[in-house]
Every structure is written in structure tokens, then in C-alpha cells.
Amino acid sequence: MLAVGVLAGLSVLSLLAYGYLSWDSLGLGRAETEATGTGLGEEPGAGAPGSQPHIVFILADDQGFRDVGYHGSEIRTPTLDKLAAEGVKLENYYVQPMCTPSRSQFITGKYQIHTGLQHSIIRPTQPNCLPLDNVTLPQKLKEVGYSTHMVGKWHLGFYRKECMPTQRGFDTFFGSLLGSGDYYTHFKCDSPGICGYDLYENDNAAWDHDNGIYSTQMYTQKVQQILASHNPRKPIFLYIAYQAVHSPLQAPGKYFEHYRSINNINRRRYAAMLACLDEAINNVTLALKKYGYYDNSIIIYSSDNGGQPTAGGSNWPLRGSKGTYWEGGIRAVGFVHSPLLKNKGTVCKELVHITDWFPTLITLAEGQIDEDIQLDGYDIWETISEGRRSPRVDILHNIDPIYTKAKNGSWAAGYGIWNTAIQSAIRVSHWKLLTGNPGYSDWVPPQAFSNAGPNRWHNERVSWSAGKTVWLFNITADPYERVDLSARYPDVVKELLWRLSQFNKTAVPVRYPPKDPRSNPKLNGGVWGPWFKEDEKKNKGDKKKGANKQKNKNKKKAN
């Protein structure tokens, strides 16, 4: 009961936020009228804008918490800084520590434990994808009249055609299916000899678009084309999942101009990539204005996970990196920008998670959330728009039952409530608990990138006592996770362990199948793409049945 009292007694920070404006009518100029094909001969009021906003969700890849100008970075991001300053900065915003988990939670509104994707990422050769029985955000938006388009990185599986973006709610798709690849050639090798092309338009390899254009610029051009050809009087959902700034570290030469002084080659390349991304987002914003969308638009910007210091990313002053459950792996750059905001230029420090966009955007779009869909996200629009308390008081960062177990973890260390060998992390109000092996735990300060490194001699490291498998932090008071409070507040530890056990009762089995040799692009025209066919499965089943019948006949004859 002490734990409950402690948890209940701690207040949640509440800062300035913003509210609704009425949706203003769109006055289409000459350029917009020409682009949409509307004009003389239309019925009065035909295509008049409704209250449904245009939704633009921009997801950066592997951008570190510090890697934006307004967080003190030496990398210039004037577009992001301006959009965030004129909108609402989300400074208590969480995602998942890797690519697939964040993307799956955004598109379904569900934790990983409820989709079976709680371990690692979907590998190119795995017969795995976001389970087909999960309703997706674009599917729900299509129900209420939205045109839905995805440009960029999918990374939610493609082993069968039903897993492809166009089968999961998107009217069009242009981008890559895998987690990474060459920015110019769009080739990806998963292992020696297992290599293929990875650029798609809808359901086919986009060989015609392979003109050696850097992917950040190519994706931006595609977005501009979509906006130019769509009628801004009708609602549109644009999901722009840029490849940048994920490795390999590649960027056009001109973007290195301001970063010659950065000695660390990875950091320098990363800076150039981020500069190009910032310019791309400026071009997207200009296109929204040019073609008549901007005044009725909501732009959301997010990174999918923390930065990777060995690949140039910085999460300072947070602890840890991509792939870990320390704050540096899961606390993300995020903001909302929109002319519709009532209180512009504010900061929201209420708790927000990437699963929250699903119910929030469906509600804004005037859609309906089915009662039988068990969501983990909350509608946080009033939290952002009106300064109300967040309906979210906890976040299950994850429970991964098949990650490498902590050697000294045990049920005893978890007070008989939880096996602390299991990798897990949970946030409840101000408290955060980690168990098992949470991953790389250094703090990597800016000076670590001062030479050819990153030089680990500059890193701040903590040597835990032998056998430690439980950590407790007050994240509000100690956002950098420097003071472990697990020994001081055992009752809080017990309460959070119990919360983990309750979440775990709702978990579905992990989906992490072994690789399938049929996935080799050599067997698919040199292209990464769907390889599993229902016909093959059916034929195999028929052959098996036939073989069993023959065996039974032979047995009868023998008798």
C-alpha cells in the first residue's frame, strides 16, 4: 500500500499547451485550382472543405535526442527549429528503441506484447509481418474518406502480398520494404550472397525511378507530386517515413559545407544527412502551402528511436542509445505544428507515447474506434490542445521474453513477483523500472565525437554491483538516470513489478520465425519482395494428404 501511496502522491507536471481553432475555409488560388483540376462548371459548393484536417506524419530514422537545434546540437536544423517553435514541442515523448516496434505501435495503437512483435525487428529473410488481424491507422482513415499515401521506409514485413503497405490501408506506396539500404542504389545485402534491390512503387519494383537520386530528395519529390495531383478540398493522410539518418552514412557533397570542422567522420556524415533532411521537410512544408493544404493541416514530427553514437548520433545528456531501454533509446524528438493550434509556441511535458497517435488522429478525422479493438494508446489531443492532464499515466516500454537473459536475474530478486532475468521496462507516473539486461548504458557527451572515435574514454560509465538486475529511477527529478533508487524504495519496486506481471498476462506469443531460404532475392528477379505463396502452401498440404492416403492404401494391401 505504501507503493500505491507514493505513486498517487506524486503529481504529474502540467505545462502550457494549445487548443482547437475552427477549420478555416481554403481559398484556392490559381496554382491550386490548376493543380486540382477544379474550376468553371463545378456545382456551387462542390468539394467544399469539411472539418477533417489533412494529416502529415513525418518519421525520421535514428535521430538522436540531442540532434536538433533546439536541443543544443551543433547541427543546424532551421526548419525543424522553426516548425517546433511555432507549434508544440513534446518534451516527455516516448517511442520504442528500434525501427519495427515504433512503426508497428504507431500504425496499430498497440504495444508490442499485443502484436507479437516484442522481440527485435523484422529481418528481411523472416516469414513475418505485422499480424494481418490488426486494423491499421490508414484503414481507419480510409473509412472516413481520407486518401492515404505512404512514402519511405515500411519495415513491417513483406513475406506475403497481404503484408504489403497497399494491402494495409495505403492507396499508394513509394519506398523501401527493408530496414536499411544504400541511399543511391537502393540495394541491400542481408548477408553475403543474399542481396537485392529494394525500391517499390505500390506492389512492384520501381526500376523506372532508379535514377541515382539520394533517397531523402527522391522521397520529397514524390511527396510534392502527390500533393500536386490531389484535391486539397478532400482530406489526405501522408505518412512520410524518411530513411535518414539511419546508416549507411551517405549524403550529397554540398551538405558537408558547414561541417568540415567536425573531425569525427561518422558525426560529420550524420550532420550532412540531417541537414539534407531538414531541407527536405522545408520543401514538404512549402508544397503544403503551394497546393492549398497548409491552412487545414496538422504536421507531426517524430524520430522512431534514439540515436546510435557509433553511427554519429547523439542522445546527450540522456543515457544509453538506440536498442536500449535507457532514456537515450526511447525518449524522442517530437513536435506538432499546425496553423490550427490555438496556443502556438508552447511546450508540452505531459506523458505522450507513439501509440497515442492512432486514437488521436482517428478522433481528429471524425472516425470511429471499434469497441472490440483493445488499444494501448490514448486520445491526447485535449492534452496537447487545451493543456489538460494526459490520460496516460503509464507506459509499458516492453517485455521481451526471448532477449538474452540476465545471468543473475531471478524470481527472488523480483520479490517472487517477477523474474528479473527478463528484459523489461515500465514507466508509471514519475517512476521508471528496468529489469534484466537493459542494454548499453553509457552517457556519451559531445566531446566523445571530438576525434576519429567516438572515443569511449570520454564516456561516463557506471560499474554496477555484481548481479544487479533491477533499476528504479524518478525520471521527473532525474531524467538522465544517474541515481538508482531501487534499494531506497522497495515498495515502489514491488508495485511496478506487479504492474509488469499484469501486463504480461495480456501478452500474445512472440512472432520471431527462423529465416526462410525462399526469401533470397535471387529467386525473385533480384528484388526483395513477397515470396510466400498460398498456392505453395495448399499444394504442399494436398501432397501431404495424398501421401497419407497412399500410405493408408498400402497398409490395407499389406494387411
Side-chain angles (χ1 to χ4, degrees), residues 447-463:
Q447 59 265 35
F449 298 99
S450 62
N451 49 31
N455 189 341
R456 290 197 66 180
W457 290 107
H458 289 106
N459 295 1
E460 294 185 57
R461 309 185 72 187
V462 172
S463 297

Side-chain angles (χ1 to χ4, degrees), residues 49-87:
S51 58
Q52 295 170 296
H54 302 301
I55 300 168
V56 181
F57 192 93
I58 302 172
L59 191 65
D61 202 341
D62 286 10
Q63 182 179 4
F65 182 80
R66 181 173 173 266
D67 296 330
V68 66
Y70 64 83
H71 280 174
S73 177
E74 78 279 23
I75 303 173
R76 303 175 188 179
T77 56
T79 302
L80 297 180
D81 295 348
K82 186 174 187 295
L83 292 175
E86 295 172 353

